[in-house]
Amino acid sequence: MIDPVIHTSRLTRYFGSRPVVRDLDIAIPAGQVTALLGLNGAGKTTTIRIIMGLLRPTRGFSAHSRSSPMACPPNRTARANRFS
């Protein structure tokens, strides 16, 4: 299998005592088109924000092929992850 470009492991995010994303494991290889589907409030936007480095997970790990998005401030992460 090709190394994933985006990888999460046990990604979890709570807002207060409410779990929004729980134990999400994904591995997306380069060149693969992927969609997040779910009902309103299912955690799609929260997941994307964590992957982009705009939110910190409560626990778990999210990484891009180059680095963890938590390694730098959100404004630098967002600029670095623009699709060209």
Side-chain angles (χ1 to χ4, degrees):
M1 179 176 158
I2 300 172
D3 288 336
V5 179
I6 296 173
H7 174 257
T8 69
S9 178
R10 298 203 53 173
L11 193 66
T12 300
R13 174 65 189 211
Y14 280 81
F15 289 114
S17 63
R18 181 175 170 229
V20 179
V21 177
R22 279 190 287 186
D23 296 326
L24 179 65
D25 295 320
I26 57 174
I28 302 171
Q32 178 174 320
V33 176
T34 303
L36 289 175
L37 302 176
L39 299 173
N40 291 345
K44 301 175 298 291
T45 301
T46 300
T47 299
I48 294 298
R49 287 180 176 167
I50 294 170
I51 290 171
M52 293 291 298
L54 300 174
L55 280 177
R56 290 190 180 274
T58 304
R59 72 170 179 255
F61 181 78
S62 170
H64 300 100
S65 59
R66 296 182 187 144
S67 67
S68 168
M70 293 295 115
C72 63
N75 61 334
R76 284 189 50 212
T77 301
R79 276 197 300 270
N81 292 318
R82 286 188 188 154
F83 296 103
S84 49

